[in-house]
Amino acid sequence: MPSARDEAAPPTMSDVARLAGVSVMTVSNVVNGKDARVSQAMRDRVHEVISELGYRVNMPARALRLGRIGVVALAVPMLDDLYYGEVAQRLADRFEDHGLRLAVESTRGALTRELAVLDDSRLTTYDGVVLAAAAGDASVLEGLQPSTPLVILGERSVPDRFSQVSMDNRGGALRATMDLLRLGARRIALIGGATDGGEGMAAGRTAGHLEALDAAGVARVAELIVPAGVRPQDGYAAAASLLDAGVAFDALLCVTDALALGAMAAVAARGLRIPEDVQVIGWDDTAVGAMATPALSSVAPDNAAAAEATVRLLMGRIESPSFPPEHVVVSTEVRHRGTTRR
């Protein structure tokens, strides 16, 4: 019978190796993400045993051994946003595989707060930073020389010396608009669109939307491009403003799922049916949108690929300062559910 001491002792890497039937080195490689030469079956077995035993990496000891703090930061515009909440969880899981904890900060989409995250006095708290940039451009970042590895998420222009992960905004909006046109829509309102050009998420999605209209020979209607924030109440207000002004539309393409959910509520409040009277496509393919009634059709970025690229790029810089910067663009696809006629 095991002693009380044995029962109280936390499982070790040796325990995992013994139960999984592999070497301690193999377990170490899997835990630390250095498992390229480990078979998928063996990785799965090690993770299964880790879960079964409740094994946890000794973070202080690991950080001391590697000369690291053991924490990376994710700075996002909002903590209560549907999309960024899912991004944070996905990255937390992936960084945990590398023995790192994720700390999340809110910038509120303000340039001063984004720059504050990159201030050297803050960077000493982290081994690396992932910044979801919502403000500024390449000229703002040009003079920065952050002392900690950095990966930037989003579509803002950044200097070539920074690694960046973005999504195919133009292509996703083009496909979504073409799908709506194929499904019979002719007056598509773009909720959250950009009317002043520029760069960033809204501008890219607006460009793809207009490109699809032009290709189909459908006239552009300026009043159908409605700037908005990113929250459900912003979507509600944008759709309500169109309805109050008597602007006819038979479909809504919304630049976030949150906007789409709010817009759907405004449409339903006016007695219009979805998708019979108004078809709706959101963006981000969030779990909340998929569980809405009717289930929200959405442009789905390859979030798994985005998380994988983000972790790979940041870990590359953490492990080697000479790791070359990359700009990774992840693909998108339109997933049709109950808010489009399919």
Side-chain angles (χ1 to χ4, degrees):
M1 292 291 290
S3 67
R5 175 183 172 84
D6 292 332
E7 291 180 347
T12 66
M13 192 175 289
S14 296
D15 295 330
V16 175
R18 186 166 50 254
L19 188 56
V22 300
S23 68
V24 172
M25 180 60 70
T26 296
V27 176
S28 176
N29 287 337
V30 172
V31 167
N32 291 298
K34 299 178 180 179
D35 54 4
R37 296 185 179 180
V38 181
S39 71
Q40 185 61 54
M42 193 172 293
R43 287 200 297 270
D44 291 344
R45 176 57 181 159
V46 170
H47 283 299
E48 179 183 334
V49 172
I50 286 174
S51 177
E52 179 181 337
L53 293 180
Y55 170 73
R56 293 292 182 268
V57 177
N58 185 328
M59 296 299 293
R62 185 179 189 276
L64 183 63
R65 184 174 72 253
L66 297 176
R68 298 179 190 165
I69 298 163
V71 180
V72 295
L74 169 65
V76 297
M78 293 176 293
L79 296 180
D80 60 351
D81 180 77
L82 298 177
Y83 174 67
Y84 285 121
E86 294 186 9
V87 167
Q89 186 60 62
R90 196 173 291 111
L91 289 178
D93 292 341
R94 289 294 291 113
F95 278 118
E96 186 177 9
D97 291 340
H98 292 270
L100 295 170
R101 292 185 294 112
L102 185 72
V104 184
E105 296 197 25
S106 172
T107 65
R108 301 181 186 174
L111 179 60
T112 54
R113 288 175 174 266
E114 291 183 358
L115 294 178
V117 172
L118 303 179
D119 185 85
D120 281 346
S121 64
R122 296 270 287 280
L123 292 179
T124 56
T125 316
Y126 306 120
D127 291 311
V129 174
V130 179
L131 171 63
D137 54 24
S139 64
V140 174
L141 295 172
E142 194 63 55
L144 293 178
Q145 297 287 343
S147 58
T148 297
L150 171 67
V151 174
I152 297 176
L153 304 183
E155 290 65 42
R156 298 284 176 178
S157 294
V158 303
D160 292 339
R161 57 192 172 85
F162 292 118
S163 288
Q164 181 178 23
V165 178
S166 60
M167 68 178 74
D168 182 12
N169 287 295
R170 186 201 62 81
L174 186 148
R175 286 186 289 276
T177 301
M178 291 183 68
D179 279 4
L180 287 170
L181 293 171
R182 175 179 55 81
L183 293 169
R186 285 299 176 268
R187 289 182 61 86
I188 304 170
L190 180 63
I191 304 297
T195 57
D196 56 356
E199 61 178 12
M201 173 268 283
R205 295 175 191 182
T206 301
H209 169 69
L210 295 176
E211 183 178 340
L213 294 180
D214 293 344
V218 175
R220 299 183 179 189
V221 180
E223 61 186 351
L224 289 177
I225 299 179
V226 186
V230 295
R231 299 176 183 274
Q233 56 265 38
D234 299 322
Y236 189 101
S241 69
L242 290 175
L243 293 165
D244 290 342
V247 178
F249 58 88
D250 53 16
L252 297 172
L253 174 57
C254 304
V255 302
T256 69
D257 277 5
L259 283 175
L261 293 171
M264 287 168 59
V267 168
R270 304 303 175 91
L272 298 173
R273 299 168 300 164
I274 299 173
E276 293 83 358
D277 301 319
V278 178
Q279 300 186 75
V280 182
I281 294 180
W283 196 301
D284 292 329
D285 195 37
T286 59
V288 173
M291 292 187 293
T293 303
L296 178 62
S297 299
S298 186
V299 179
D302 190 340
N303 289 320
E308 186 68 32
T310 300
V311 173
R312 176 178 64 81
L313 294 175
L314 194 64
M315 291 304 303
R317 291 305 289 266
I318 290 173
E319 294 173 355
S320 172
S322 62
F323 187 86
E326 292 181 39
H327 182 186
V328 177
V329 181
V330 300
S331 63
T332 58
E333 65 173 309
V334 184
R335 293 182 180 166
H336 289 278
R337 299 189 179 94
T339 59
T340 48
R341 297 176 194 143
R342 289 181 281 183

